[in-house]
Every structure is written in structure tokens, then in C-alpha cells.
Amino acid sequence: MRHAYTPTLPELQAFVQAARTGTATRAAAALGLTQSAISRALTTLEARLGVALFHRIRQRLVLSDAGRALLPEAERLLADLDRAALTVMSFGGHRDVLRLAVLPTFAALWLIPRLSDYAALAPQVTFDMTATLTPLDFERDPRDVAIIRAQPPLRGAQMDILAEERLVVVAAPALLPKVGKLEDADLARLPLLQQATRPNLWLDWFLNAGLDPITILRGARFEQFGMVLAAARAGLGLALVPELFVAPDLAAGGLRLASARSMISGTPYALTYPQRSLEIAAFRQFRDWILADAPKQPLQEIPQALA
């Protein structure tokens, strides 16, 4: 509900332009209005707020302390409105918009390359996709669906398991012997690329092999799996990454498997969504499509809390 003290959009636009240009005449020219319209808007805004936003010095408008306090907030509000308008305009011609939050590397290396298949099934649907590393609180977040690593969902969320996360060790061919794979003791002597948001991956790998992780030679640290893979392609070290992310590199020969072993992380990839999304036809169609197209790998037993 709008209150009497809430500025109108024309008032904010007039205020911001007057603050930027220093005169009502220049503000009017910038907005395509008359000088008197700008002056009325500023007078009305000051009366609405009960403060003087400008000092009138000769023909100049100089911000008061109150005006300086209001200006950054007014600029932010107008910028937010512009962004919202552009976002809505980008959906033009599509009847349905599906709002997704997805793990960034999963989105870049698995989901987005397959979206053309979904677009052929549902040409009326477009996407508003953002990155996330954590579960969403769908009671506060307006998005329709998230793809994350499975963990106990937040209140009001439902979950479908997509695929287990099977980790493999890969490296640029130049770092590896021409034939065969390396033993874990050999891996530990090479630079090991670190994933900043998953710092225990190499620790778990070597503990699983029965080796003392204290002796591991650490390597460069990167924030996301996509960066780790880029570093591996550049020959900076060994990467411990989900198998489903590295399949194209293995097929193209840019990376090779360095170990014959793999490891299940215990946190599979999952589709999470609120009950309200089941009422959206575009979501139901997307859910059916991605569950049918999910990586065909045997799933480990999922804890009952996640089922």
C-alpha cells in the first residue's frame, strides 16, 4: 500500500536528474519535460517528505544533507525498476517463464547444453536461470525449482534425485604416462587442484585409499568445478571432479583419466521445488523431461531424510 509520504516515480526521476545536472532546466531537457514540471515535482517531493532536498543558490540546485542521503537510494530504486522492466521485456513472445536456480557448473556443463532439446518440446517456455550453491527457502524465494546437491530440504520443499555424484581424477595428457593409470601414491606426488567450496574432496579420496593425506602436495585453489576443469586442461595439476562434468573433455582427448578408481560423494544431484510449482504446467513438463534425461547411473541408497 502506498503511503502519502512515498515518492512517486516522476518525483524520483525529477529529483535524480536535478541532482545530477544542478538545474531544473537541464533536468527537464534530460527527461523531455518542461522546467515548470520539474520544479513542481521537486516542490511536491519536498513537501511530501517534509525536508528541503536542495539549496537554491542563484540558478543552481545544490543538494542538502537530506538530499545527499536520498540520492543513492533513489538511484538504486530507479535502476532496480529499469532492470525489472528489461527482465520482463526479455520474456516477450513466451507464454511461460520457468525460474531456476542451478549449481553453476552443473548448469554450464550439463543442463544448458541439453536445453535445446527441452526447447523443442516446449517452445512456449523461456528460462530465468541463476546460480546457487545452497538450498532455497521457497517460502521466501519466488523461483520455481532448484538443482543442488541433495541435503535435507528446507521447509516446504520437495525433492527428486537426478543422479549420484561420481568423482574421478583427470589431468591433461602431458602430466600422465602415455599408457595406463596412476596409483594413489603417485597421484599424491603431483599438484592437486583444490575446489574452494568443496575443500575435503582430496582428503576423502586419499583417506578412502588408506593414505595419509598430510603428505599430499597441495595445488592451486579455485572456487568452482568449472575453474578446476579449466586449470586441469591448462596442465596445472590433477582435478577431482564429477564424472558427468568431464565426459566431453574425455571424449575430445583434452583430459584423460588419471586413476582407475572413482568415488561416490554421498550427495547426489537433486531437483528441489515447492508444492506450488506442481501447479505450473511448464514446471511439470520440465520435471518429466529432466528426470527422463538424467544421467543413467546407479544411485546409491539415499538416506530416508532425503527420499
Side-chain angles (χ1 to χ4, degrees):
M1 181 178 67
R2 183 176 176 275
H3 298 281
Y5 55 78
T6 303
T8 65
L9 179 59
E11 290 167 359
L12 287 179
Q13 290 172 323
F15 167 70
V16 168
Q17 284 301 328
R20 289 173 176 173
T21 62
T23 71
T25 301
R26 291 175 182 171
L31 294 173
L33 300 172
T34 64
Q35 185 271 340
S36 60
I38 296 296
S39 295
R40 284 195 302 271
L42 296 178
T43 300
T44 302
L45 178 59
E46 289 178 320
R48 189 186 301 283
L49 300 177
V51 295
L53 299 173
F54 294 97
H55 299 301
R56 275 73 173 174
I57 302 175
R58 297 185 178 88
Q59 302 300 315
R60 298 283 300 174
L61 294 173
V62 179
L63 283 170
S64 67
D65 289 343
R68 283 192 294 272
L70 178 61
L71 180 59
E73 294 300 322
E75 289 177 324
R76 180 184 60 80
L77 289 169
L78 293 176
D80 287 347
L81 185 59
D82 282 345
R83 281 192 292 271
L86 290 171
T87 297
V88 172
M89 290 167 63
S90 71
F91 299 151
H94 293 84
R95 189 176 71 241
D96 300 314
V97 177
L98 198 59
R99 295 165 295 183
L100 302 91
V102 188
L103 291 163
T105 307
F106 187 97
L109 299 183
W110 194 89
L111 179 60
I112 292 175
R114 290 166 171 77
L115 281 185
S116 60
D117 295 337
Y118 177 75
L121 296 173
Q124 81 285 1
V125 178
T126 190
F127 295 94
D128 180 6
M129 187 180 299
T130 57
T132 186
L133 296 175
T134 58
L136 301 186
D137 183 350
F138 289 109
E139 293 191 2
R140 298 185 177 184
D141 196 297
R143 282 171 286 192
D144 304 311
V145 58
I147 299 176
I148 59 172
R149 290 170 51 239
Q151 47 193 292
L154 296 179
R155 56 183 179 177
Q158 301 189 45
M159 179 178 291
D160 295 320
I161 299 300
L162 295 177
E164 66 185 9
E165 184 184 56
R166 184 183 299 277
L167 297 159
V168 296
V169 181
V170 297
L175 287 182
L176 303 176
K178 293 189 180 298
V179 294
K181 306 287 193 301
L182 298 176
E183 298 297 326
D184 286 302
D186 299 318
L187 298 179
R189 298 187 186 98
L190 295 171
L192 306 177
L193 302 174
Q194 307 298 311
Q195 219 274 52
T197 60
R198 305 279 297 278
N200 292 329
L201 288 181
W202 281 114
L203 173 65
D204 293 340
W205 175 273
F206 285 105
L207 286 176
N208 187 262
L211 296 179
D212 182 357
I214 296 177
T215 63
I216 295 172
L217 176 61
R218 298 297 176 183
R221 183 179 176 91
F222 301 91
E223 186 176 11
Q224 298 176 358
F225 276 129
M227 296 178 181
V228 171
L229 282 170
R233 295 183 199 108
L236 297 182
L238 304 179
L240 181 57
V241 293
E243 187 177 38
L244 62 87
F245 293 166
V246 80
D249 288 290
L250 295 176
L255 293 173
R256 282 176 45 202
L257 287 173
S259 171
R261 194 162 71 84
S262 65
M263 181 178 74
I264 302 300
S265 72
T267 51
Y269 294 99
L271 197 72
T272 65
Y273 51 91
Q275 177 67 30
R276 66 173 183 271
S277 291
L278 293 172
E279 301 174 5
I280 303 172
F283 168 75
R284 295 196 302 272
Q285 192 173 27
F286 176 79
R287 178 177 177 265
D288 291 345
W289 168 79
I290 197 170
L291 289 176
D293 204 40
K296 301 301 188 294
Q297 300 173 358
L299 297 179
Q300 75 277 24
E301 183 178 352
I302 305 301
Q304 188 63 36
L306 300 181

